[in-house]
Amino acid sequence: MLEKYNVRTDLALEEKERFESEQVEIPGVILEEEYEEELEIQITKVKIETENGAKSMGKPVGVYLTIEAPNMAMSDEDYHREISEKLARKIGEIIHLQEKEICSILVVGLGNRQVTPDALGPYVVDNLRVTRHIMKEYGRYAMEMEENGIVSAIVPGVMGQTGMETLEIIKGIVSETKPDMVIAIDALAARNSKRLNRTIQIADTGIHPGSGVGNHRSGLTKETLGIPVIGIGVPTVVDAATIVNDTMENLISALETSEVLKGVGNVLRSYNNSEKYELIKELISPHLNGMFVTPKNEDELVKQISYTLSESLNMLFTEMKTNN
């Protein structure tokens, strides 16, 4: 049954949790966790170190850092500022793992601005402080930017708008402008509705646009672009089966507290996560299988979180040193 379990998620953390719930050990995959009580955030690092581990996880070898902040969906500017500072430090740590010195960065805002749950990338670029054109025109010292990284940005749109693969567009830009690194921002899909708009994933393996909703496009990776690619994403959607699965968990908990229906709850509890998910997919098919759900205030949440991400990148780029 496990091989049939194809849950819609872009989060490496949730892939790891899937195996843990089945009590399956994955050789070559290491999990590190820390909790910051002051900010109430959980930081989880999943390191995939072997090709066998990558095959089991369905993700490339690399580091996947997840920041879970339940209060991130709230409109608290001070809290979001602290999250931005924490995020800037974590992205910086991953950048420093690269073999080469990073001086120039291209930020790619993936997604469709006209579809709210998919507009995260474009919104981040809107608030980004780009400097490449200023430095080329006036020089770094004239603008008092001698310690800033060289930042450029692009919103390539989606294939339905441009008729081109995102990879084709970014390849051309990389070839012409020659950045040292690409940072790609995209909206993700999650398995757990509690993680919507409350979780940020940073990966040093790049990103595959559209993979979370089953719309696979060519990936932006070091192999395809020739330079390191950092992928940053926030889950903004879950599929219909996930919503039903979360509801079933609440139902099982309620049944277990009832003397009359306790037996039914115990039977359902005996199903592992794979079996429950497959059962749900069969029950809701065929009409709801392709449905993805997002919160009703997603427009507000996406703008809020995009600003948090852009501020973290602005902080990071301001601190970057360059020898150019």
Side-chain angles (χ1 to χ4, degrees):
M1 179 68 75
L2 190 59
E3 59 272 11
K4 292 173 59 182
Y5 185 41
N6 185 26
V7 68
R8 296 291 192 187
T9 180
D10 290 312
L11 301 177
L13 169 62
E14 291 186 335
E15 291 287 356
K16 187 69 169 65
E17 288 175 344
R18 168 169 71 96
F19 286 98
E20 288 178 347
S21 68
E22 305 297 334
Q23 298 182 342
V24 176
E25 290 292 330
I26 314 175
V29 179
I30 298 175
L31 184 72
E32 300 176 2
E33 297 178 300
E34 62 176 289
Y35 181 74
E36 295 201 5
E37 187 172 352
E38 184 176 352
L39 293 177
E40 298 182 19
I41 62 175
Q42 176 78 30
I43 301 175
T44 307
K45 181 185 292 184
V46 177
K47 295 196 290 185
I48 304 177
E49 298 184 328
T50 66
E51 290 299 332
N52 285 337
K55 185 177 180 181
S56 298
M57 292 281 290
K59 295 187 178 296
V61 171
V63 176
Y64 301 82
L65 186 72
T66 305
I67 298 175
E68 297 178 82
N71 296 327
M72 197 164 65
M74 300 172 59
S75 56
D76 183 335
E77 292 185 8
D78 292 336
Y79 183 80
H80 279 264
R81 177 75 178 182
E82 292 180 298
I83 294 296
S84 293
E85 292 172 353
K86 171 63 67 175
L87 185 59
R89 287 195 294 271
K90 292 301 181 181
I91 298 172
E93 290 174 7
I94 290 183
I95 288 178
H96 293 150
L97 294 177
Q98 304 302 320
E99 298 176 358
K100 61 184 291 187
E101 183 177 0
I102 306 298
C103 302
S104 173
I105 290 182
L106 169 66
V107 179
V108 179
L110 298 170
N112 187 344
R113 191 187 297 273
Q114 297 176 357
V115 180
T116 300
D118 199 32
L120 178 71
Y123 285 172
V124 170
V125 170
D126 286 347
N127 295 308
L128 202 63
R129 191 179 303 123
V130 295
T131 58
R132 183 177 182 272
H133 61 304
I134 299 176
M135 293 185 182
K136 283 177 67 67
E137 183 71 22
Y138 301 105
R140 184 177 297 106
Y141 299 103
M143 300 302 295
E144 298 183 352
M145 293 181 176
E146 61 270 17
E147 294 188 352
N148 283 24
I150 301 171
V151 182
S152 55
I154 184 69
V155 177
V158 295
M159 182 178 283
Q161 297 169 321
T162 66
M164 295 178 284
E165 283 273 8
T166 300
L167 176 61
E168 294 173 331
I169 298 172
I170 304 306
K171 257 189 172 180
I173 295 173
V174 167
S175 175
E176 183 68 25
T177 63
K178 296 178 171 55
D180 298 319
M181 170 179 281
V182 168
I183 294 181
I185 317 292
D186 199 9
L188 307 179
R191 186 189 70 185
N192 191 326
S193 57
K194 293 180 180 179
R195 290 194 167 104
L196 285 180
N197 304 296
R198 296 174 175 87
T199 303
I200 303 170
Q201 176 175 271
I202 312 164
D204 66 357
T205 58
I207 206 159
H208 292 263
S211 61
V213 294
N215 185 21
H216 297 278
R217 303 259 67 93
S218 299
L220 305 181
T221 66
K222 186 174 183 179
E223 290 71 29
T224 59
L225 293 177
I227 57 175
V229 181
I230 303 294
I232 302 176
V234 175
T236 60
V237 297
V238 294
D239 68 351
T242 294
I243 297 290
V244 179
N245 186 62
D246 290 347
T247 304
M248 179 181 280
E249 286 298 317
N250 293 333
L251 174 63
I252 292 173
S253 298
L255 290 174
E256 289 175 332
T257 62
S258 169
E259 289 297 328
V260 178
L261 300 175
K262 187 174 183 179
V264 178
N266 291 337
V267 171
L268 292 174
R269 183 68 73 186
S270 67
Y271 285 34
N272 60 37
N273 285 344
S274 302
E275 292 167 336
K276 279 189 289 187
Y277 195 83
E278 287 299 327
L279 173 62
I280 289 168
K281 285 176 67 176
E282 290 177 12
L283 291 175
I284 68 174
S285 65
H287 304 295
L288 298 179
N289 261 353
M291 180 176 288
F292 287 85
V293 185
T294 194
K296 64 179 181 180
N297 61 336
E298 186 63 24
D299 52 348
E300 176 187 346
L301 292 172
V302 165
K303 288 180 180 179
Q304 179 176 276
I305 294 168
S306 68
Y307 187 77
T308 300
L309 290 179
S310 61
E311 280 300 287
S312 70
L313 293 175
N314 289 334
M315 293 175 189
L316 173 66
F317 299 149
T318 300
E319 297 172 356
M320 286 180 60
K321 305 286 185 179
T322 177
N323 296 324
N324 288 354

